[in-house]
Amino acid sequence: MQSNDKAQVVLRLNAITKTFGKLTANDAVSFSLHKGEVIALLGENGAGKTTLMNILFGQYTADSGTVEVFGRPLPPGNPRAALNAGVGMVHQHFTLADNMTVLENIVLGTQPLWRPGFDRTGARARIEKLSADFRLRVDPDARVGTLAVGERQRVEILKALYRDARILILDEPTAVLTPQETDDLFHTLRKAVDLGLSIVFISHKLHEVMAISDRVLILRHGKLVSQVETDQTDRKTLAALMVGAEVEAPKVDPVTPGPALLKLDNVGTPDQGSAPGLKSVTLALRAGQIIGLAGVSGNGQTALAAVIGGLTRPASGKLELDGETPQGWSPIHAVHSGIARIPEDRHKIGTIADFDLTENAILECYQDQPFSKRGWMNWGRARDFTRRIIDTYDVRCPGPSTRIRLLSGGNMQKLILGRVLEPEPRIILANQPVRGLDIGAVTYVQNQLLKARARGAAVLLISEDLDEIMALSDVIHVISEGRLSPGFPRGTMTPAELGVWMAGDGFEGEHSLAS
Amino acid sequence: MGSKGNTHLRLEPISNPTLARTILPPLIALGSTVVIASLLAMIAGANPFSVLGLIVKGAFGSKFAALETLNRATPLIFTGLSVAVAFRAKLWNIGAEAQLYAGAVVTVILGTGALTLPSIALVPFIAACAMIAGAVVLLIPTILKTRFGVDEVVTTLLFNFIFLLFVSMLLEGPLKDPMGMGWPKSARLIPEARLPRILPGLRLHWGFALAILAAIAVWIIQKRTTLGYEMQAVGLNPEAARFAGIPVRAALIKTALLSGGLAALAGFSEVAGLKGSLTLDLSPGFGYTGIIVAMLALLNPLAVIAAALFVAGIFVGADSMSRAAGVPTYLADIMLATALLLMVLAILLTRFRIRRE
């Protein structure tokens, strides 16, 4: 043991390597974490951050390399051992039971809940003390199913603290939070550090990394490419390290918007479980304009995309194309109306994993000539079409007969882009078009959207990434609990101002949220 | 609880299986089936090699045996295709048995003198009507599924029992043969309604040829038509199919019509080609065995022919083996059950690898 508290190494990873088939997710990654330190693990989606943390937490077994916690080696592949050693993980996707209370969720797994011996009062006292110490406000008796996302995250953190975690791993904790909630989280994390905990903070958002961390580790393609002290660096340097090249914001030339191609007039849809429906949304998509839809995920983006994409009909209000209400409204109507739909989930919704590229390329047009005639497929023409997409959109693949599940996310997305953009659509619905893509693919996709805008297409860009929205959009709307803010022209709003709307506080006549 | 001695087995998906990994497990499954059958034969006190030899000889060893096997395979090809078509679209049709009997009932209603047409018109007409009946029988559970989300596994399975009792009622009542000496049995088909033999003198009827044609037709539908594409898309990922604008419900309905119709052809061909009349024991579970056939064929319509021959061969061969070696015919059931279980495991192993942690 060292005398200096700050220098005590609480966690050490030695040359961790993990491969999945041909992909090397982690390539000899080593680092150490000291007591009271916050390190940020920075990297693009797919750089190997989550894999590394899953190895640390025992959910994956590394091919080689070891993990030491407080100087003792951790047996591989055993989450319980990691927990016992004081490692707590807050996953990107929460692992809470919706139908149980906060208290039950926190205690679950540490002691039998329904035996007579269960000390509910003691558990409650302990949770309340942790809540106060770490500034994690939450009602122990609330059912988790009724909580907002930010509150659920606090429960997850409490769960780790209740198990005496000395090392907290947070995997992309801010992806689901408003800027204000993010600030609250950072307060909690600083508290935790003051109380002697150590934190690994995983993110790909540069400003957050700058705000919270002492040291930044940069992962690129599974390799640890750099370690820097946060106060010795800046965002631009980090971005360059992260992607391996200087990043440039896409150039947006001014375009005079044309007529409204698609209009929503006071459109409402019912709520779907905890996902809010639309609350009288009015929106116009104009030729030559990119509308950005900002908002915390799960606030009605899915409902809006479903209406425009033809998956649901407005329950109230109306949808107009070129000033007329369409006769029927279904996915195929949307496609035939010239709406290109880039779905949010390219793995589950946008493609069929076990279909090959050709079968996936014609998913929306197989009923049309020349791909089929009177019920008979013309696979030759379908393959020609696919080859054209592969060439034009630079889809890296062995050929049109490759199963699409073997492609990387970026190449999959390029195939979808080709599928929907090849018919020169008038309207583009891009729902999270760059999520999970590497920077090269991101630039490519964004440039395709700008190209479509330049030739007069109307674009609706839905994204959780405020930076992306602000860089690309001519007009920004914020969606919160199914309500749509007015349109803010480019450059009139700061991120903080948009954050107020994202938290639901900008809407008139509405009570602000308790948090 | 602790960390020591706590090993877990985990399945890891294989993204790009090698050729060996695709072919070997099914072959090993069939090999293991033979080994297990041999062990059972030994327990029964017989020489395993002679038992297996007798099964093969009983199934394919003579012209008579081979024709018997082909006859037995015919309904299995139809029910196997029925199941393969439905399962590919993830429509879990466990009701091929009821659809088979629906086809048989219609064959008897139309073929016992109610219609008098020349054979060339009557036989195809009856076949078409039988298909419609089978299609309708599967249509009902399918509509319940697409409209109300009722699990078709339950409805199709239970409908088998209802329908069998319904057939029993018909055979005791309206369809009962007045000349049948009181047996629950229908009247015999008129000669114009019978499926003729392929070659005079050979005990093999045109139902077998029809089954082969049906398999080829299903294969062409799957490979070359928009319907085949839709059925496959709906089976692999209904959500993505719906998003893309594929009419998911319509595709499922069409799948049901095709699947039910194919199973009904089994009933038609058994009555019109082999038995000539309807009794309650027309099918010794051909509808259920069709599931085994379809699984062994990995849902490929052309492979259904081979799988049906394999299954029919085991049944026919086991009968004759039992007479010669004194080992009970239940060995055939055990072999099929083993083959099915091992094949399911084999399919798992072609797609996943087992990891020890």
Side-chain angles (χ1 to χ4, degrees):
Chain A
M1 286 285 145
Q2 270 127 350
S3 50
N4 186 348
D5 234 18
K6 186 85 181 169
Q8 187 198 348
V9 172
V10 295
L11 171 71
R12 193 192 297 279
L13 271 69
N14 299 315
I16 297 284
T17 298
K18 173 78 179 170
T19 56
F20 295 101
K22 270 182 272 176
L23 177 85
T24 305
N26 291 142
D27 190 355
V29 177
S30 306
F31 69 84
S32 48
L33 172 70
H34 301 91
K35 188 174 177 192
E37 187 184 33
V38 180
I39 61 173
L41 204 53
L42 181 68
E44 293 190 82
N45 284 305
K49 299 170 301 209
T50 301
T51 306
L52 190 63
M53 289 308 110
N54 279 329
I55 290 169
L56 164 53
F57 196 61
Q59 276 162 337
Y60 292 156
T61 312
D63 299 341
S64 63
T66 56
V67 180
E68 282 171 35
V69 179
F70 295 106
R72 288 227 295 266
L74 208 58
N78 191 333
R80 190 163 287 276
L83 267 175
N84 290 344
V87 181
M89 181 145 179
V90 177
H91 291 274
Q92 213 167 345
H93 305 285
F94 301 146
T95 54
L96 298 170
D98 277 358
N99 56 347
M100 291 167 76
T101 65
V102 169
L103 182 140
E104 286 163 350
N105 263 288
I106 292 172
V107 176
L108 189 67
T110 59
Q111 49 185 304
L113 274 181
W114 292 282
R115 289 235 196 99
F118 170 50
D119 177 12
R120 194 171 276 267
T121 333
R124 177 190 306 275
R126 185 132 178 259
I127 290 170
E128 275 166 1
K129 177 159 191 320
L130 287 171
S131 282
D133 286 352
F134 290 89
R135 291 190 36 180
L136 288 160
R137 273 168 298 121
V138 64
D139 171 13
D141 297 317
R143 282 196 191 281
V144 164
T146 65
L147 298 185
V149 181
E151 292 174 293
R152 288 181 201 214
Q153 188 174 64
R154 294 202 278 272
V155 178
E156 280 282 358
I157 297 172
L158 276 172
K159 225 168 101 180
L161 296 173
Y162 190 86
R163 286 159 178 73
D164 290 323
R166 305 303 298 157
I167 301 166
L168 270 184
I169 303 168
L170 299 127
D171 190 2
E172 306 259 1
T174 60
V176 293
L177 303 182
T178 62
Q180 283 76 4
E181 283 175 322
T182 302
D183 286 344
D184 287 344
L185 172 69
F186 284 2
H187 280 299
T188 296
L189 296 185
R190 291 199 187 97
K191 266 280 197 248
V193 168
D194 291 343
L195 292 166
L197 273 73
S198 311
I199 292 170
V200 180
F201 181 87
I202 302 173
S203 182
H204 61 255
K205 296 186 184 167
L206 298 169
H207 57 273
E208 291 171 0
V209 166
M210 292 300 295
I212 192 73
S213 69
D214 300 316
R215 192 152 55 97
V216 188
L217 310 182
I218 296 123
L219 272 182
R220 192 163 77 223
H221 303 310
K223 280 202 181 82
L224 189 61
V225 292
S226 180
Q227 294 196 39
V228 287
E229 301 291 323
T230 309
D231 52 17
Q232 317 254 311
T233 187
D234 57 53
R235 282 171 67 164
K236 209 158 164 234
T237 319
L238 288 178
L241 284 168
M242 184 163 89
V243 301
E246 291 276 338
V247 255
E248 279 176 41
K251 227 175 99 216
V252 183
D253 302 318
V255 174
T256 323
L261 302 181
L262 184 145
K263 259 186 178 160
L264 298 182
D265 187 7
N266 277 308
V267 166
T269 61
D271 295 348
Q272 302 282 334
S274 62
L278 300 178
K279 314 273 186 291
S280 52
V281 163
T282 299
L283 177 70
L285 304 183
R286 297 179 183 284
Q289 196 180 49
I290 295 183
I291 303 266
L293 188 72
V296 177
S297 69
N299 268 284
Q301 291 95 330
T302 310
L304 182 61
V307 167
I308 295 178
L311 290 158
T312 48
R313 283 177 213 176
S316 58
K318 59 183 190 223
L319 175 146
E320 284 180 359
L321 283 164
D322 300 312
E324 282 174 36
T325 309
Q327 285 304 310
W329 198 237
S330 70
I332 208 72
H333 283 102
V335 170
H336 285 160
S337 309
I339 301 181
R341 302 165 309 147
I342 302 169
E344 179 176 14
D345 187 337
R346 67 185 78 96
H347 297 273
K348 292 207 186 95
I349 303 294
T351 58
I352 295 180
D354 282 315
F355 265 0
D356 67 20
L357 265 65
T358 306
E359 289 164 320
N360 272 297
I362 59 165
L363 265 179
E364 291 182 346
C365 59
Y366 73 97
Q367 292 177 346
D368 307 329
Q369 289 202 36
F371 305 115
S372 70
K373 204 171 165 183
R374 284 191 217 96
W376 292 91
M377 300 295 301
N378 187 337
W379 287 112
R381 299 299 285 271
R383 267 189 295 277
D384 291 346
F385 175 66
T386 312
R387 281 199 197 96
R388 198 161 78 231
I389 292 176
I390 291 172
D391 292 343
T392 318
Y393 293 84
D394 188 30
V395 183
R396 311 269 166 85
C397 66
S401 314
T402 313
R403 281 177 190 224
I404 203 154
R405 66 155 72 245
L406 301 175
L407 265 55
S408 71
N411 284 313
M412 215 181 261
Q413 192 72 326
K414 284 178 181 171
L415 185 91
I416 293 175
L417 274 184
R419 174 171 92 200
V420 301
L421 295 183
E422 212 33 38
E424 302 245 312
R426 308 157 62 231
I427 301 165
I428 297 171
L429 167 66
N431 195 354
Q432 312 286 356
V434 303
R435 175 148 72 187
L437 301 187
D438 63 59
I439 196 79
V442 167
T443 314
Y444 186 86
V445 172
Q446 292 179 342
N447 283 332
Q448 288 291 330
L449 294 181
L450 290 171
K451 239 165 85 181
R453 167 184 178 268
R455 69 165 170 76
V459 182
L460 176 64
L461 170 66
I462 303 177
S463 176
E464 283 153 19
D465 187 340
L466 208 49
D467 295 341
E468 181 190 16
I469 293 271
M470 297 187 73
L472 293 177
S473 315
D474 299 297
V475 174
I476 298 173
H477 286 273
V478 179
I479 193 163
S480 172
E481 297 193 359
R483 295 163 305 174
L484 199 68
S485 77
F488 307 114
R490 166 182 289 277
T492 57
M493 294 290 269
T494 64
E497 286 167 330
L498 290 172
V500 171
W501 284 90
M502 284 162 77
D505 291 345
F507 296 89
E508 291 165 79
E510 292 279 346
H511 300 288
S512 61
L513 292 170
S515 61
Chain B
M1 280 281 193
S3 56
K4 61 175 183 239
N6 205 353
T7 54
H8 302 268
L9 293 178
R10 191 145 63 179
L11 289 175
E12 249 183 32
I14 300 168
S15 51
N16 202 5
T18 58
L19 190 63
R21 208 172 233 291
T22 329
I23 291 176
L24 274 181
L27 289 181
I28 294 171
L30 291 183
S32 313
T33 304
V34 170
V35 171
I36 290 171
S38 307
L39 288 175
L40 288 169
M42 280 166 73
I43 293 170
N47 176 350
F49 294 103
S50 73
V51 163
L52 291 172
L54 282 168
I55 290 180
V56 174
K57 200 164 148 236
F60 302 103
S62 65
K63 198 163 87 175
F64 176 81
L67 289 175
E68 184 59 27
T69 302
L70 294 184
N71 267 330
R72 188 71 78 95
T74 303
L76 292 178
I77 295 175
F78 285 122
T79 54
L81 287 173
S82 164
V83 172
V85 163
F87 279 21
R88 211 166 249 271
K90 299 252 160 71
L91 178 70
W92 305 113
N93 175 19
I94 316 293
E97 191 77 1
Q99 294 138 30
L100 179 152
Y101 274 103
V105 165
V106 166
T107 305
V108 165
I109 291 173
L110 296 176
T112 45
L115 279 174
T116 42
L117 288 169
S119 184
I120 192 87
L122 187 58
V123 170
F125 179 72
I126 294 177
C129 290
M131 285 186 80
I132 292 170
V136 169
V137 166
L138 183 52
L139 189 60
I140 298 159
T142 309
I143 290 176
L144 287 174
K145 171 195 169 82
T146 55
R147 289 280 155 190
F148 307 109
V150 181
D151 190 342
E152 75 276 19
V153 173
V154 176
T155 49
T156 55
L157 175 65
L158 294 184
F159 203 69
N160 288 340
F161 302 105
I162 298 173
F163 205 85
L164 203 62
L165 290 168
F166 174 66
V167 172
S168 168
M169 186 197 84
L170 289 178
L171 290 179
E172 295 285 359
L175 288 185
K176 189 169 184 174
D177 183 5
M179 323 291 276
M181 326 261 280
W183 291 100
K185 162 181 178 309
S186 79
R188 293 194 70 75
L189 297 193
I190 56 174
E192 290 82 9
R194 294 293 300 267
L195 275 167
R197 294 187 171 179
I198 293 177
L199 287 172
L202 283 186
R203 202 173 163 274
L204 181 68
H205 58 86
W206 274 101
F208 179 73
L210 186 62
I212 303 290
L213 284 177
I216 295 169
V218 168
W219 183 74
I220 290 173
I221 289 173
Q222 290 185 345
K223 291 279 165 198
R224 294 267 166 242
T225 67
T226 50
L227 175 61
Y229 176 75
E230 288 169 355
M231 293 193 302
Q232 182 74 78
V234 168
L236 287 175
N237 188 338
E239 263 190 288
R242 184 172 112 82
F243 177 83
I246 292 175
V248 173
R249 272 184 194 179
L252 277 173
I253 298 280
K254 288 178 196 165
T255 305
L257 295 177
L258 183 58
S259 171
L262 285 164
L265 281 180
F268 159 76
S269 118
E270 283 298 278
V271 172
L274 204 63
K275 301 279 172 63
S277 63
L278 173 59
T279 53
L280 257 193
D281 59 359
L282 178 76
S283 158
F286 287 138
Y288 301 105
T289 314
I291 298 171
I292 303 182
V293 169
M295 294 304 287
L296 290 178
L298 307 179
L299 307 187
N300 178 321
L302 296 182
V304 160
I305 300 173
L309 287 173
F310 171 75
V311 170
I314 287 184
F315 274 128
V316 172
D319 275 344
S320 106
M321 175 279 297
S322 172
R323 283 190 295 273
V327 174
T329 53
Y330 294 122
L331 186 64
D333 294 320
I334 295 178
M335 278 181 80
L336 285 185
T338 319
L340 178 65
L341 288 177
L342 292 176
M343 189 58 89
V344 171
L345 195 64
I347 296 168
L348 191 76
L349 287 181
T350 57
R351 299 182 51 197
F352 296 92
R353 114 174 15 102
I354 294 176
R355 270 287 166 87
R356 220 150 190 269
E357 328 233 283

